[in-house]
Amino acid sequence: MALILRASHFLARNGRCTFISGLRLSSSTTRSRKSLSASLVLEDGTRLQGYSFGHGKSTSGEVVFNTGLTGYPEALTDPSYRGQILTLTYPIVGNYGVPSTTERDQYGLLKNVESENIQVSGLLVQDYSHNYSHWNAVKSLSEWLNEEKIPALYGIDTRKLTKTIRDKGTVLGKIEFEDQPVEFLDPNTRNLTADVSVKERKIFGKGNPYRVIAVDCGIKHNMIRHLVMRGAEVHLVPWDYDYSEEIYDGLFISNGPGDPALAWDAVLNLRKVLDSNRSQPVFGICMGNQLTGLAAGAKTYKLPLGNRGHNQPVINQLSGEAFITSQNHGFAIDEASLPAEWNSLFINANDKTNEGIMHTEKPIFTAQFHPEAFGGPTDTEFLFDTFMDLVKGKKTSVTHAMSRPVKVPPPPKVSKVLVLGSGGLSIGQAGEFDYSGSQAIKALKEENIKTVLMNPNIASVQTNEEGEKQRGAEVHLVPWDYDYSEEIYDGLFISNGPGDPALAWDAVLNLRKVIGTPIESIKASEDRQTFADKLKEIGEKIAPSVAVETVESALKAAENIGYPVMVRAAYALGGLGSGLCENEQKLREVSQQVSCK
């Protein structure tokens, strides 16, 4: 049996095993510690008991939640969270520790975080992982929070808390330790922008050909990075700096925390530019969007529920394109108050709130979301290209730059589709195939397409009587056979059901109509080596791996990669045959268990 040694979570195919290295276990955090008890208290009297894993001091602020699955080092250092107690809805936090918070890149910007310090007032999670494991980690989340004197609680029912925030909108709260009473504090009553802005001018990308003034209302380092990478010499100035008489090629207004109306000096400085005859492009993000709206003469308002997370859908009003975006804001522009020479550029597909505006004649546009998302979706990074194209004179107007034609292929004309099921599965054996197959059937029914389900898991929601009636699927409890199946349907979904569609490649490749994900894409994602090669082609960083065929060659490869390594057998559902190997002896044991000769 062949093996593959890999310092990542990718699995092998074709009967191979996968070895994964790069796991880092912290000896200082591997044992449980008795934690101080403390409470989250909401202004309506709700009290949730928790346990401290941060600084043991009471604090207060606005309680908000973020739905992102990763990126807590970036979120905690985002200045837009200033004055807020952040709730992370992902159930387990701290498992990958904290990377270096001081390491800088070639531009002098922080590589792994968005600002010099943690910006939140407090942190709330359901479960805290005292054991962290990541090749890039240098400390635990608890250690970092204590260093920066930020209180944090785990053991909080974050689901209940999130529902409370969703229903009530703005919620003030406090993390309170025994004998440390603290008053409720609404951070939105003070100018938070002044707290997080630089005090004097800083220059990044010195010597680049295009001079961009960046107004720091709480700027994230990755915004500066995107500008510098595209040829901008970024002059970062304080939030209230008057740049109206300066010479520059472009003006950038950054993100920031709190109520934009309290940063009125920034509004007045921007209004001088908007009311002048200057033709230099202007680009605003998040707080920059709101400040631009106020400077134009529009109004802003506090959202009943802020948009925060990495999964917010936004629609481009010019092209009709839809993007998944990262967001963090509690205020929005009132579109109805926009003057005649301003149009809405983006809207939120969920709550229909404004997500960006544009001037009808001048090269001025904004985005409420974060195109520089780090971490998060990168769907809208092109907005930095749009801005710099305007700065460089490659595009003459926002409409010209933003009106990208969308090529939507016509939907396939099919009436009957096969969904290849997951086959028989036991508990713990990749049940997501059962779920995704059910969702595929549901979606097809909504499109009035007849569904044929073959080779399903017979003890599943795909085939139970109630589910079958609701979804209207024709169920065949037989293995899939190409000759038979082609006679009864004219399309195939192969990306939603099977545990391994590669088992049927010969038949699939000869099928006339394949709907959904292209076969080549599925092959690339199923074959772990091909997937790794594809990532290398686009410059993505991946952990090293080595394919081997014997235990001895595995041992040799492990020496090159470095212990510990993880071995994983292909075609082993539920993780069977995998194991963490801290030394040569353990590697031999695990390799022999998965029948690697």
Side-chain angles (χ1 to χ4, degrees):
M1 180 181 290
L3 305 175
I4 199 167
L5 271 77
R6 178 163 292 150
S8 77
H9 64 278
F10 301 130
L11 307 182
R13 285 190 62 248
N14 303 325
R16 296 174 177 173
C17 301
T18 302
F19 288 76
I20 308 172
S21 76
L23 298 177
R24 184 182 187 277
L25 299 179
S26 169
S27 59
S28 63
T29 59
T30 53
R31 65 181 184 275
S32 298
R33 295 192 299 252
K34 185 176 181 179
S35 301
L36 291 173
S37 62
S39 298
L40 170 69
V41 184
L42 304 183
E43 58 182 334
D44 65 358
T46 300
R47 181 179 293 267
L48 300 177
Q49 184 72 34
Y51 300 92
S52 173
F53 68 100
H55 186 55
K57 184 179 180 180
S58 298
T59 190
S60 63
E62 180 184 4
V63 183
V64 300
F65 66 87
N66 184 301
T67 58
L69 302 184
T70 61
Y72 56 79
E74 296 88 353
L76 292 177
T77 53
D78 180 354
S80 295
Y81 281 118
R82 189 73 164 194
Q84 296 177 334
I85 298 175
L86 175 61
T87 303
L88 297 178
T89 61
Y90 187 67
I92 300 177
V93 176
N95 53 324
Y96 59 85
V98 177
S100 171
T101 57
T102 58
E103 186 179 358
R104 296 182 181 270
D105 62 12
Q106 67 268 36
Y107 309 119
L109 298 163
L110 293 169
K111 290 183 66 174
N112 303 307
V113 290
E114 292 287 18
S115 66
E116 305 285 345
N117 304 104
I118 296 179
Q119 301 289 346
V120 301
S121 293
L123 178 64
L124 303 170
V125 302
Q126 178 175 309
D127 292 305
Y128 173 65
S129 177
H130 291 279
N131 298 329
Y132 69 91
S133 179
H134 193 277
W135 67 273
N136 202 30
V138 298
K139 66 182 77 172
S140 71
L141 177 56
S142 177
E143 290 170 332
W144 188 32
L145 291 164
N146 275 287
E147 287 175 5
E148 303 238 0
K149 296 182 171 30
I150 305 297
L153 300 182
Y154 71 91
I156 297 295
D157 186 345
T158 54
R159 180 179 176 83
K160 177 181 179 180
L161 181 58
T162 299
K163 291 174 67 176
T164 299
I165 299 171
R166 180 198 64 191
D167 295 340
K168 294 187 177 181
T170 302
V171 174
L172 299 184
K174 54 185 178 180
I175 296 175
E176 201 165 60
F177 290 85
E178 188 176 354
D179 299 327
Q180 291 188 38
V182 64
E183 298 295 323
F184 290 107
L185 175 65
D186 185 355
N188 297 304
T189 60
R190 72 178 194 271
N191 183 7
L192 297 172
T193 300
D195 292 351
V196 296
S197 178
V198 293
K199 307 306 178 185
E200 57 185 23
R201 182 190 296 253
K202 295 184 178 180
I203 300 176
F204 298 89
K206 193 169 185 177
N208 280 351
Y210 301 96
R211 186 177 187 181
V212 172
I213 296 287
V215 182
D216 182 12
C217 301
I219 198 167
K220 296 164 67 176
H221 278 220
N222 206 34
M223 290 181 176
I224 303 173
R225 182 178 292 110
H226 275 289
L227 294 170
V228 173
M229 288 169 55
R230 289 164 171 80
E233 180 181 86
V234 177
H235 288 243
L236 190 66
V237 299
W239 71 277
D240 57 352
Y241 183 84
D242 187 355
Y243 44 82
S244 59
E245 300 298 326
E246 284 215 21
I247 298 174
Y248 55 80
D249 299 304
L251 177 62
F252 178 79
I253 316 295
S254 84
N255 65 300
D259 187 346
L262 297 179
W264 199 249
D265 286 347
V267 174
L268 295 178
N269 290 330
L270 182 54
R271 184 171 290 173
K272 294 177 185 178
V273 172
L274 300 185
D275 291 343
S276 70
N277 293 322
R278 300 193 68 147
S279 59
Q280 287 85 358
V282 179
F283 180 28
I285 292 178
C286 195
M287 172 70 82
N289 172 57
Q290 299 159 22
L291 293 174
T292 303
L294 290 172
K299 299 177 182 178
T300 59
Y301 64 99
K302 183 78 165 68
L303 290 168
L305 180 64
N307 292 323
R308 297 178 176 89
H310 298 324
N311 53 1
Q312 291 288 328
V314 166
I315 307 298
N316 181 341
Q317 298 288 77
L318 292 177
S319 66
E321 289 177 283
F323 306 107
I324 298 300
T325 67
S326 179
Q327 299 194 15
N328 178 19
H329 67 105
F331 289 80
I333 292 176
D334 178 6
E335 280 192 6
S337 65
L338 282 172
E341 65 273 18
W342 291 85
N343 288 333
S344 170
L345 180 56
F346 299 103
I347 61 167
N348 189 293
N350 287 333
D351 60 16
K352 309 305 179 183
T353 56
N354 176 264
E355 294 277 2
I357 60 176
M358 60 172 285
H359 197 279
T360 56
E361 297 179 1
K362 298 180 180 180
I364 304 171
F365 71 102
T366 64
Q368 182 61 62
F369 48 88
H370 288 272
E372 84 295 338
F374 177 54
T378 57
D379 293 25
T380 55
E381 272 187 11
F382 71 89
L383 292 181
F384 287 96
D385 295 318
T386 299
F387 175 59
M388 291 306 296
D389 283 347
L390 290 168
V391 168
K392 298 172 184 178
K394 293 182 178 180
K395 300 292 177 66
T396 57
S397 69
V398 177
T399 301
H400 178 211
M402 294 290 297
S403 297
R404 305 189 305 168
V406 182
K407 296 181 180 179
V408 180
K413 295 181 179 180
V414 295
S415 59
K416 199 171 186 179
V417 171
L418 171 74
V419 174
L420 180 58
S422 58
L425 294 176
S426 300
I427 293 176
Q429 291 185 329
E432 66 270 15
F433 301 123
D434 177 36
Y435 172 80
S436 57
S438 300
Q439 295 303 304
I441 296 170
K442 180 180 178 182
L444 289 166
K445 183 183 179 183
E446 291 176 354
E447 297 297 325
N448 295 317
I449 297 175
K450 178 67 177 178
T451 303
V452 178
L453 173 63
M454 287 190 178
N455 192 35
N457 178 11
I458 58 174
S460 75
V461 295
Q462 285 185 14
T463 56
N464 64 46
E465 183 176 354
E466 181 180 356
E468 184 177 345
K469 289 180 180 179
Q470 291 177 348
R471 288 178 287 276
E474 177 184 322
V475 180
H476 293 262
L477 302 178
V478 294
W480 184 51
D481 177 82
Y482 171 71
D483 293 332
Y484 169 62
S485 61
E486 189 181 24
E487 293 177 3
I488 65 169
Y489 63 86
D490 54 12
L492 171 67
F493 265 12
I494 59 175
S495 58
N496 289 281
D500 192 343
L503 296 175
W505 279 138
D506 290 340
V508 169
L509 291 174
N510 291 321
L511 193 65
R512 290 193 298 267
K513 292 181 180 178
V514 176
I515 303 171
T517 307
I519 291 177
E520 289 304 315
S521 297
I522 295 178
K523 290 177 66 177
S525 63
E526 281 292 313
D527 188 310
R528 272 52 182 183
Q529 189 59 55
T530 301
F531 186 68
D533 293 340
K534 293 292 184 183
L535 290 178
K536 291 177 182 177
E537 287 179 11
I538 62 175
E540 287 291 330
K541 294 181 180 179
I542 62 172
S545 63
V546 180
V548 296
E549 295 184 352
T550 66
V551 172
E552 294 304 319
S553 58
L555 295 171
K556 183 177 179 180
E559 290 179 2
N560 293 330
I561 293 177
Y563 289 98
V565 297
M566 179 71 79
V567 60
R568 178 98 184 232
Y571 298 116
L573 295 175
L576 297 176
S578 64
L580 176 65
C581 303
E582 298 180 347
N583 51 47
E584 178 180 331
Q585 179 181 353
K586 183 65 176 178
L587 178 56
R588 286 184 180 276
E589 294 175 2
V590 173
S591 300
Q592 292 168 355
Q593 288 175 1
V594 295
S595 301
C596 296
K597 300 179 180 180

